[in-house]
Amino acid sequence: MKAVRSRADTGLNEAERTPETPSGKNISRRTLLGVIGAGAALIVGGSTVQNLTASSSLGSALGTSGYTIYTVTGGFPTYDPQTFRIQVNGSVQHPLTLSLDELKAIDSTTLKATFQCVTGWIVPNQTFGGARLAKVIEKAGPKSDAQYVNFTSFDGTYTESLPLARAMKSDVIVVTHLDGAPLSRPHGAPVRLFVDGEYGYKSIKWLSEITLSPTPIVGYWEQNGYPNNATIA
Ligand SMILES: Nc1nc2c(c(=O)[nH]1)N[C@H]1C(S)=C(S)[C@@H](COP(=O)(O)O)O[C@H]1N2
Ligand SMILES: [Mo]
């Protein structure tokens, strides 16, 4: 699996990939709206892309209506649907290597919830389909020293973490479907996380590895100053 990361893919340099910030109003932030199947990303200013995705038929066609698509690497990583597996490892009795069918066999559920980014945009009434993370973790069997669940993206850069007790709540979903359709590539296909009641940065896209550990890793945005607890006030 190759992460799409090079500057040539997007034309963005580091300065243009200015991180979103909780007080993002003062930041000249650039965001990406990628077109599935196209080699290049359309680059527009943050506010423009929000209006575009909220209202345009392009946004609807991408299944991204109301969302702003984020990717810290500047691209959407590719994967092979035939060979894709999600790993569950670390402090567990039974490490798991799961195909999407095997994930579905562990648990299949839906959760209706609101998606909310810390920068202010909100998408209500979303139906997240997939497996409860708790069921996946139960299947793997946490060892007694497990206290955190660390998440890795196959984009090669993005990471996240949750306390095990939080991860075991039924509102944390390993998402394969959004509003009944398979997750689109911009939204993190084939698997992303959704953590209800927490800001969107916890909801890691292109999820490939779930690692139980005595210690948390410091996630991508946490390394950039975001609080580890992303609970929406
Ligand atoms: N791999 C990865 N996951 C990610 C991000 C990212 O840039 N890369 N951005 C996060 C942030 S800040 C938000 S608000 C949501 C946005 O989800 P969307 O791109 O599906 O709209 O994804 C989160 N997960
Ligand atoms: Mo976000």
Side-chain angles (χ1 to χ4, degrees), residues 20 70 117-119 121 200-201:
E20 58 169 31
Y70 291 130
C117 173
V118 76
T119 59
W121 53 269
Y201 66 89

Side-chain angles (χ1 to χ4, degrees), residues 20 67-72 115 117 121 153 155 158 187 192 200-201 203-206 221:
E20 58 169 31
Y67 290 82
T68 299
I69 298 295
Y70 291 130
T71 170
V72 297
F115 196 98
C117 173
W121 53 269
S153 170
D155 70 9
Y158 205 90
H187 279 312
R192 81 176 301 166
Y201 66 89
S203 295
I204 183 172
K205 302 195 289 187
W206 307 295
W221 282 119

Side-chain angles (χ1 to χ4, degrees), residues 84-131:
F84 179 83
R85 298 289 184 275
I86 181 154
Q87 307 288 335
V88 186
N89 54 27
S91 292
V92 295
Q93 313 285 348
H94 315 287
L96 306 174
T97 300
L98 304 170
S99 67
L100 296 183
D101 284 346
E102 288 165 335
L103 177 66
K104 190 177 179 181
I106 291 175
D107 188 41
S108 185
T109 191
T110 58
L111 176 71
K112 194 164 186 177
T114 297
F115 196 98
Q116 184 166 346
C117 173
V118 76
T119 59
W121 53 269
I122 297 178
V123 193
N125 296 320
Q126 299 297 288
T127 302
F128 298 95

